[in-house]
Amino acid sequence: MHKRQLGQDGLVVSAAGLGCMAMSGMYGPSDRSESIATIHAALDAGINLLDTGDFYGIGHNELLISEALRERSRADVVLSVKFGALRGPDGAWLGYDSRPAAVKNSLAHTLTRLNTDYIDIYRPSRLDPDVPIEETIGAIAEMIEKGYVRHIGLSEVGVETIRRAAAVHPIVDLQIEYSLLSRGIEAEILPACRELGIGITAYGVLSRGLLSGAWSKERVLAGSDFRAHGPRFTGENLDRNIDLVAALQTIADAKGASISQIASAWVVAQGSDIIPLFGARRLHQLHDSLASLEIGLNADELASIERAIPKDAAAGERYHSSLMQHLDSER
């Protein structure tokens, strides 16, 4: 597994990370033993970056990771944690809280659930519209001084917020969706991060499964799967997006790869400062994703991929409108 520096603080991570959200019900039921086996396999393959959120499964994901790491060396793992999202006992999304007191409270619970003394990267999951980003970053910086956090990250914020946060404390990375179907960061956000020396941890590299090459119009999603309400997964939008993805098949066949591997390899090819987060929750998904790291794409192949799926060709927004309003990165 190749290593890459994330940001300018000297943090070295694997060339890809493992996003653990899907292991806690966000895409429907998951199998605990399979999830733990997938985490173990990722670590054994050289992946050291594990990404989670304290609201994934309302704490379930952190407890799952803690169990998986029980027999592993803490020093060998880079734990990235998002906080701030509020959820009700019925799973409803209730907004965001990134007040300094909430930062410290959330961190205390996370440290306990993960059974660790520190978090490598701590980040607000979204911008809290009621709290200046300077206050949130300042509170995390206090936790760095006390040894509870090592680095500060951001998630789904725009250029102005990135610059204001970086003026308070060095930011190691921005976590944001980036794939062939979601290229909004390229115009302003990615150049700003590169100017400031901030890395990108890219989630949704397979656009939540659309770019897997295995999605069908007849697929029925579980009620707990939030994609069931996603604009890209419904009606004519889904038809359009599946047709776009099918256009990658010829390119994949020529490389002896799967469509999902080509889609992941495209993200990897966009720069050494971009670390894809593979959202695998099963072993076969992880193995498929890991293989994409070995696929080299030349200029002609990259051009062919972008002709197959042109920029801004995706039908539908990334999230339901009720969630899009919380994305500072889309403003």
Side-chain angles (χ1 to χ4, degrees):
M1 176 66 65
H2 297 293
K3 303 291 184 182
R4 294 180 175 178
Q5 181 167 312
L6 191 61
Q8 295 184 320
D9 285 353
L11 178 61
V12 176
V13 299
S14 45
L18 180 65
C20 300
M21 181 187 77
M23 300 176 181
S24 293
M26 298 293 284
Y27 291 162
S30 58
D31 181 85
R32 188 177 191 85
S33 59
E34 178 80 2
S35 296
I36 290 175
T38 301
I39 293 172
H40 286 168
L43 296 172
D44 292 341
I47 286 179
N48 69 345
L49 176 62
L50 300 182
D51 181 78
T52 183
D54 61 11
F55 50 92
Y56 292 167
I58 316 178
H60 172 274
N61 206 243
E62 291 179 322
L63 292 169
L64 179 76
I65 291 172
S66 177
E67 182 178 348
L69 297 182
R70 193 169 295 159
E71 304 299 326
R72 302 285 176 146
S73 170
R74 174 66 180 88
D76 294 338
V77 182
V78 176
L79 289 174
S80 168
V81 180
K82 293 180 289 298
F83 71 92
L86 304 176
R87 301 189 68 181
D90 60 351
W93 298 91
L94 305 176
Y96 300 90
D97 189 353
S98 294
R99 294 170 300 150
V103 170
K104 298 168 186 177
N105 180 73
S106 295
L107 178 59
H109 287 278
T110 281
L111 291 170
T112 299
R113 283 190 292 260
L114 284 170
N115 191 31
T116 184
D117 297 326
Y118 67 94
I119 301 302
D120 296 280
I121 311 173
Y122 203 51
R123 72 183 80 241
S125 59
R126 296 289 186 270
L127 179 66
D128 184 339
D130 298 322
V131 181
I133 190 64
E134 291 85 352
E135 293 184 14
T136 302
I137 299 303
I140 304 176
E142 287 183 38
M143 297 297 93
I144 289 179
E145 292 175 1
K146 294 180 181 297
Y148 296 121
V149 173
R150 298 285 174 85
H151 306 276
I152 300 177
L154 295 169
S155 176
E156 287 288 359
V157 292
V159 172
E160 179 185 354
T161 302
I162 294 168
R163 292 190 184 282
R164 288 170 56 190
V168 176
H169 190 279
I171 304 299
V172 72
D173 74 317
L174 170 68
Q175 187 174 122
I176 196 163
E177 185 170 355
Y178 187 44
S179 73
L180 277 166
L181 293 176
S182 299
R183 297 177 60 180
I185 72 170
E186 293 177 347
E188 297 181 359
I189 292 175
L190 182 55
C193 286
R194 285 175 168 165
E195 173 194 336
L196 296 168
I198 297 172
I200 298 290
T201 42
Y203 75 88
V205 294
L206 295 182
S207 199
R208 297 177 179 82
L210 274 178
L211 287 163
S212 67
W215 205 275
S216 71
K217 301 173 184 179
E218 294 74 30
R219 182 170 178 175
V220 177
L221 297 173
S224 58
D225 190 326
F226 87 101
R227 293 173 295 186
H229 310 288
R232 293 184 176 178
F233 291 85
T234 56
E236 294 181 359
N237 287 348
L238 179 60
D239 294 343
R240 165 65 176 160
N241 292 328
I242 287 178
D243 288 343
L244 279 174
V245 175
L248 291 176
Q249 188 65 62
T250 300
I251 299 169
D253 290 343
K255 293 292 286 185
S258 66
I259 287 178
S260 62
Q261 288 169 344
I262 292 297
S264 295
W266 180 87
V267 173
V268 173
Q270 301 312 302
S272 61
D273 55 347
I274 298 175
I275 310 296
L277 296 174
F278 295 143
R281 57 174 167 163
R282 299 185 180 94
L283 285 168
H284 75 87
Q285 294 170 331
L286 174 67
H287 294 150
D288 188 76
S289 295
L290 287 172
S292 69
L293 296 175
E294 305 303 320
I295 297 174
L297 297 171
N298 60 38
D300 289 341
E301 290 165 337
L302 289 169
S304 295
I305 291 169
E306 296 197 24
R307 282 194 297 271
I309 302 183
K311 188 175 182 178
D312 300 325
E317 298 283 4
R318 296 198 279 137
Y319 290 93
H320 186 274
S321 58
S322 62
L323 298 176
M324 285 294 291
Q325 65 181 330
H326 297 296
L327 295 181
D328 182 62
S329 56
E330 294 288 341
R331 294 190 176 95

